[in-house]
Amino acid sequence: MAVLLALSTLALAGQAFASFPDCATGPLANNTVCDTSATPIERATALISLFTFEEKVNNTGNTSPGVPRLGLPAYQWWQEGLHGVAESPGVIFAESGEYSYATSFPQPILMGAAFDDPLINRVATIVSTEARAFSNANRSGLDFWTPNINPFKDPRWGRGQETPGEDPFHLQSYVYNLITGLQGGLDPEYKRIVATCKHFAGYDLENWEGNVRYGFDALISIQDLSEFYTRSFQTCARDANVGAFMCSYNAVNGVPSCANSYLLQDILRDHWGWTNEDQWVTSDCDAIQNIYEPHYYAPTRELTVADAINAGTDLDCGTYYPAHLSAAYDEGLYNISTLDRALIRQYASLVKLGYFDPAENQPYRYIGWENVSTPEAQELAYTAAVEGITLLKNDGTLPLSPEIKTLALIGPWANATTQMQGNYYGQPPYLISPLMAAEALGYTVYYSPGPGVDDPTTSSFPAAFAAAEAADAIIYAGGIDTTVEAEGMDRYTLDWPGVQPDFIDQLSQFGKPLIVLQMGGGQIDDSCLTPNPGVNALIWGGYPGQSGGTALLDIIVGKAAPAGRLPITQYPIDYVYQIPMTDMALRPSATSPGRTYMWYTGTPVFPFGYGLHYTNFTSTLAQPSAATYDIATLVGGCAGVAHPDLCAFESFAVNVTNTGSTTTSDYVALLFLAGEHGPAPYPNKVLVAYDRLHAIAPGSSQTATLNLTLGSLARVDDYGNTVLYPGEYELQLDYDAQATASFTLTGEQAVLDYWPQP
Ligand SMILES: *[C@@H]1O[C@H](CO)[C@@H](O)[C@H](O)[C@H]1NC(C)=O
Ligand SMILES: *[C@@H]1O[C@H](CO)[C@@H](O)[C@H](O)[C@H]1NC(C)=O
Ligand SMILES: *[C@@H]1O[C@H](CO)[C@@H](O)[C@H](O)[C@H]1NC(C)=O
Ligand SMILES: *[C@@H]1O[C@H](CO)[C@@H](O)[C@H](O)[C@H]1NC(C)=O
Ligand SMILES: *[C@@H]1O[C@H](CO)[C@@H](O)[C@H](O)[C@H]1NC(C)=O
Ligand SMILES: *[C@@H]1O[C@H](CO)[C@@H](O)[C@H](O)[C@H]1NC(C)=O
Ligand SMILES: *[C@@H]1O[C@H](CO)[C@@H](O)[C@H](O)[C@H]1NC(C)=O
Ligand SMILES: *[C@@H]1O[C@H](CO)[C@@H](O)[C@H](O)[C@H]1NC(C)=O
Ligand SMILES: *[C@@H]1O[C@H](CO)[C@@H](O)[C@H](O)[C@H]1NC(C)=O
């Protein structure tokens, strides 16, 4: 009682509340939708049964008008929150003061480099807390169209920056921790917010040589679809209980994703058991219209909307459903039960968000402005940047000697502010550039922007050289940014753009310590810099968010130690001439060098998982408890387990010792599995487990416990089935296999998961 009283007082203090339906005195008050003892499906069904046909059709787009005569408010289903509450149709930032900002974390590609899933869970919890605060202030809806969890397969992809990287296991582990943070657990009484896994499926091309995402037909083998393109989505649906999915612009094997019942029904709902009728699918924005044009999949607009709703696309981000579902119904192209199903799914999900419940029952309706951009959130935005930043070269220049008092900060990222957020961002409380951070540390700073990212001219060189001349050491911050990698735009080369390589080469001739910050989400080929002894250190900084400059400078001066790892392969520039972006196959062939660290047959500039430290570590890997395992015994031990691929195999202790004498540092333990088993060609290796150990002091050790499942050992056959194969297995610790362990599986192969056939 005392608690309730305190909450009510807070509620009053919180003032402005969202347009939640009035279940106390409004027209819906005595309807089942307001009855908290009924199930979400019963409640949503009762609500929808009050709608006229026209009201149903009118509420099938992302901007729902609601039903005024029932007191059902208008609702915007489209909010974004990729790395913080973001600008989007449903989010309204204030001009100033309260609700004029929210915490801006690094882009997912940099948070992926942290390989720290508990960190991701904390970030997601803060994003959903701040989202609730905005909702309570009537400044946001409760459905967020995040995360982008397509694997970053091709280095040219303009939206790869929005993902945690190229490895499916990494994405699965990351997204599980993200979704449970955003939604508030696996099956909470009230969801914090509803997250949306996108873009299902096979979406990783924007616009490349005339192939545009809206009409691209991705030809994907069933093996690759199961093993690579949909694994993160399986985790979203089957394991993390995500509330929503988004179907993608592209077609898969001839069928646009939003009209694709093989994807949306057979795989998503039937195979993965995503069967709660409070879980719904939205189209990507205008993707339903794109079924008509430029996919030219359906000959009329009516058939287009019928194909989509019958396949299981419940909501149209766009206007095709509201505009054409009436005529399609008149033509008998879909049943009313299908339209009802779509609406029930959506409104049942609002029931799970507490939309129709009295505020005093709920934990999240009392979150307010005092919960936004808290000191804890600000600290976490900084920590997430520090943890992801990755050291690629260091000849001992870093951390910078205290003798150095003056710095030249040069380059198109030297005073980066908005740039540090990449895309899908909101209003941050502040943006601390590298220049501001250097000044805050007390350095005398000579700043010169030098040439822009893509600038072909040299007119900016003299001013920059004057700055370099004046300082004890030079920090060059450049690389790429959203002027060359962006939504709607893929890259054509992996070169450092513009005149940057020549400019850096000239900076390297000043005979002063030169630290290069390679910024941006996708990788560019650093082999124009790494052999140059005048480039003393190289750091990849991604899009580091609101405290990005502080994180970078703290690492440079040694206030923080780098321990990030590349979540993507850095390919040499010739890679883009060896395989078209449109080629979806992963395995190497006569026409492909293979894709990702798993299949690439060439030599990467920096491999997946690469990253240096300010200290040395030695690691040992525990040996397996047996040299040989019988497959039938392993599988038999999992009888009754719902998903045998998740059934435990063994845990491997990794003992990590910091053998340096000065620097306390984090260390990411990465465990790969290699070996000739399953269908050839075999992958080089696959990531099967990882953990980030924190603050290992010089001379001390910590142990990571890496837990393998039967799924860790499995490979996928031509039919997409997940199979345990007899053969030789080798565990490799870290990207360079600094410790290994071997074992053998014997007996008959066993299927852990039968993939639905098209
Ligand atoms: C919430 O905001 C909308 C506009 O976004 C407005 O129409 C509505 O009246 C507001 N509701 C309340 C309760 O302030
Ligand atoms: C709901 O039912 C109560 C009790 O029967 C009644 O007093 C109230 O007027 C009803 N409200 C509405 C909106 O019909
Ligand atoms: C449905 O939407 C159309 C177009 O906006 C509008 O003219 C019509 O009045 C709406 N119908 C209802 C019942 O709200
Ligand atoms: C509508 O439902 C009936 C009865 O279940 C079914 O036979 C028919 O195929 C459905 N029509 C469409 C267009 O889905
Ligand atoms: C919101 O802030 C209040 C006051 O600091 C605090 O008591 C409460 O726990 C916070 N709620 C959340 C969900 O962080
Ligand atoms: C750095 O950027 C900030 C924010 O855009 C700007 O106010 C400031 O003037 C810039 N500093 C210099 C030295 O250009
Ligand atoms: C790491 O070990 C190498 C080789 O023993 C040594 O040269 C280097 O100084 C060590 N680095 C640190 C930071 O301890
Ligand atoms: C880890 O390795 C260190 C150094 O070899 C050793 O002293 C320590 O006992 C080991 N710890 C464990 C848990 O095996
Ligand atoms: C492995 O499992 C153990 C025991 O459940 C747990 O303590 C540990 O955190 C797990 N390791 C990882 C990396 O999740």
Side-chain angles (χ1 to χ4, degrees):
M1 199 60 206
V3 173
L4 268 184
L5 205 67
L7 286 175
S8 313
T9 317
L10 247 181
L12 289 175
Q15 292 302 324
F17 272 86
S19 296
F20 292 104
D22 178 359
C23 268
T25 58
L28 291 173
N30 292 335
N31 185 269
T32 303
V33 72
C34 288
D35 175 0
T36 54
S37 66
T39 67
I41 308 305
E42 288 164 356
R43 295 173 68 178
T45 305
L47 175 69
I48 301 310
S49 71
L50 302 175
F51 286 25
T52 64
F53 177 73
E54 196 177 318
E55 287 164 347
K56 288 179 185 176
V57 169
N58 276 8
N59 281 287
T60 53
N62 62 291
T63 307
S64 289
V67 181
R69 73 180 174 90
L70 297 176
L72 182 69
Y75 186 76
Q76 176 55 259
W77 295 89
W78 181 2
Q79 277 72 222
E80 299 286 352
L82 181 66
H83 51 118
V85 174
E87 300 282 4
S88 41
V91 172
I92 306 163
F93 283 95
E95 296 277 313
S96 62
E98 294 189 353
Y99 298 101
S100 62
Y101 53 87
T103 309
S104 190
F105 293 96
Q107 276 286 52
I109 193 67
L110 191 71
M111 292 201 284
F115 286 92
D116 185 349
D117 293 330
L119 173 97
I120 299 309
N121 189 262
R122 290 200 299 279
V123 167
T125 302
I126 286 175
V127 172
S128 54
T129 298
E130 298 194 353
R132 272 287 180 169
F134 274 72
S135 161
N136 289 333
N138 194 27
R139 295 185 166 278
S140 174
L142 294 168
D143 293 276
F144 282 74
W145 293 358
T146 195
N148 178 345
I149 204 67
N150 299 104
F152 189 175
K153 172 202 66 188
D154 192 296
R156 291 162 280 196
W157 185 28
R159 298 184 72 180
Q161 57 178 304
E162 298 172 27
T163 78
E166 74 187 26
D167 179 72
F169 172 76
H170 180 210
L171 265 60
Q172 288 181 287
S173 190
Y174 179 109
V175 84
Y176 181 88
N177 284 276
L178 185 89
I179 300 294
T180 49
L182 291 175
Q183 298 194 157
L186 280 180
D187 190 19
E189 186 187 0
Y190 290 109
K191 285 190 169 124
R192 299 174 73 91
I193 60 172
V194 162
T196 308
C197 284
K198 68 187 186 187
H199 314 79
F200 189 57
Y203 173 67
D204 56 15
L205 172 148
E206 301 295 305
N207 185 350
W208 184 83
E209 288 195 350
N211 299 280
V212 178
R213 58 181 176 161
Y214 308 114
F216 177 58
D217 182 15
L219 301 180
I220 303 177
S221 75
I222 296 305
Q223 183 182 40
D224 287 346
L225 191 67
S226 164
E227 181 181 46
F228 185 78
Y229 290 102
T230 62
R231 270 179 67 190
S232 50
F233 293 98
Q234 177 191 46
T235 299
C236 289
R238 189 190 75 176
D239 305 327
N241 202 18
V242 76
F245 256 58
M246 179 185 285
C247 49
S248 57
Y249 287 122
N250 58 284
V252 174
N253 299 332
V255 185
S257 296
C258 295
N260 198 320
S261 61
Y262 174 57
L263 290 176
L264 300 180
Q265 185 65 42
D266 301 357
I267 296 174
L268 173 58
R269 292 198 181 263
D270 296 344
H271 188 56
W272 291 337
W274 201 59
T275 49
N276 288 343
E277 291 294 333
D278 62 358
Q279 295 168 322
W280 48 278
V281 175
T282 181
S283 73
D284 205 338
C285 296
D286 290 334
I288 294 177
Q289 177 176 345
N290 298 150
I291 295 169
Y292 181 65
E293 189 202 346
H295 279 297
Y296 307 108
Y297 178 76
T300 67
R301 293 179 171 86
E302 291 72 30
L303 281 162
T304 298
V305 294
D307 280 350
I309 202 161
N310 285 330
T313 302
D314 301 302
L315 179 73
D316 179 8
C317 179
T319 54
Y320 247 45
Y321 272 1
H324 303 296
L325 276 175
S326 276
Y329 186 68
D330 292 344
E331 292 179 25
L333 298 177
Y334 68 90
N335 282 325
I336 200 72
S337 59
T338 307
L339 177 57
D340 288 351
R341 179 184 73 177
L343 290 164
I344 289 167
R345 286 173 177 168
Q346 286 163 239
Y347 284 95
S349 116
L350 283 181
V351 170
K352 290 287 288 182
L353 286 157
Y355 192 66
F356 297 93
D357 286 8
E360 57 268 23
N361 288 4
Q362 304 180 44
Y364 305 131
R365 289 278 274 272
Y366 298 96
I367 294 175
W369 176 243
E370 66 277 12
N371 300 95
V372 179
S373 193
T374 61
E376 182 204 355
Q378 296 182 4
E379 177 75 19
L380 193 63
Y382 164 81
T383 302
V386 164
E387 287 202 9
I389 291 168
T390 305
L391 182 64
L392 298 176
K393 176 182 176 179
N394 185 16
D395 66 2
T397 297
L398 295 183
L400 221 48
S401 156
E403 315 275 279
I404 289 169
K405 306 287 186 207
T406 62
L407 291 175
L409 265 155
I410 296 175
W413 274 83
N415 192 26
T417 52
T418 308
Q419 264 167 308
M420 292 192 299
Q421 301 180 95
N423 65 4
Y424 285 89
Y425 52 81
Q427 297 292 331
Y430 45 75
L431 290 165
I432 303 172
S433 72
L435 166 60
M436 297 169 199
E439 284 171 344
L441 287 172
Y443 286 99
T444 300
V445 179
Y446 301 96
Y447 165 66
S448 183
V453 162
D454 215 6
D455 185 353
T457 72
T458 60
S459 54
S460 61
F461 285 20
F465 293 153
E469 193 55 62
D472 299 336
I474 306 164
I475 298 174
Y476 177 81
I480 56 178
D481 65 12
T482 52
T483 59
V484 298
E485 58 169 352
E487 180 162 5
M489 188 168 83
D490 298 310
R491 283 186 290 148
Y492 282 88
T493 80
L494 302 179
D495 287 308
W496 276 68
V499 290
Q500 293 184 82
D502 179 41
F503 181 63
I504 296 169
D505 187 58
Q506 296 198 43
L507 289 177
S508 75
Q509 290 163 28
F510 277 78
K512 302 186 178 191
L514 171 61
I515 298 109
V516 174
L517 306 182
Q518 177 211 323
M519 305 301 292
Q523 291 296 313
I524 43 182
D525 181 346
D526 287 328
S527 54
C528 58
L529 310 178
T530 42
N532 181 347
V535 175
N536 305 89
L538 176 65
I539 290 171
W540 174 62
Y543 293 101
Q546 65 184 35
S547 288
T550 311
L552 287 161
L553 264 292
D554 281 0
I555 283 177
I556 289 169
V557 304
K559 283 180 70 177
R565 301 299 188 99
L566 286 184
I568 37 179
T569 303
Q570 187 180 112
Y571 297 92
I573 45 176
D574 63 357
Y575 185 75
V576 297
Y577 310 113
Q578 295 171 346
I579 182 166
M581 259 198 103
T582 47
D583 185 341
M584 303 299 286
L586 295 164
R587 286 162 177 76
S589 68
T591 56
S592 165
R595 290 183 169 285
T596 79
Y597 75 92
M598 292 183 280
W599 303 105
Y600 180 50
T601 48
T603 305
V605 180
F606 289 113
F608 174 88
Y610 189 80
L612 303 172
H613 305 92
Y614 285 167
T615 185
N616 287 324
F617 290 101
T618 59
S619 311
T620 60
L621 174 63
Q623 294 302 304
S625 64
T628 300
Y629 299 83
D630 172 52
I631 290 175
T633 308
L634 286 178
V635 175
C638 296
V641 175
H643 306 299
D645 57 301
L646 297 181
C647 183
F649 169 58
E650 279 209 17
S651 292
F652 291 85
V654 176
N655 180 9
V656 182
T657 304
N658 181 342
T659 59
S661 54
T662 54
T663 308
T664 296
S665 174
D666 290 5
Y667 175 86
V668 173
L670 299 172
L671 192 61
F672 296 90
L673 186 67
E676 303 199 342
H677 48 269
Y682 309 112
N684 301 317
K685 60 183 177 183
V686 298
L687 184 68
V688 290
Y690 60 86
D691 195 16
R692 185 178 182 113
L693 298 171
H694 292 93
I696 309 176
S700 74
S701 303
Q702 286 184 26
T703 303
T705 304
L706 300 180
N707 306 314
L708 270 52
T709 63
L710 292 192
S712 313
L713 311 181
R715 297 252 157 100
V716 173
D717 71 12
D718 289 347
Y719 300 97
N721 300 324
T722 302
V723 184
L724 265 191
Y725 290 100
E728 304 298 316
Y729 291 71
E730 184 181 71
L731 289 168
Q732 301 179 351
L733 185 64
D734 220 328
Y735 68 90
D736 55 354
Q738 52 185 266
T740 61
S742 298
F743 56 91
T744 304
L745 295 198
T746 59
E748 290 293 307
Q749 66 185 57
V751 176
L752 300 180
D753 183 60
Y754 284 98
W755 185 252
Q757 298 305 299

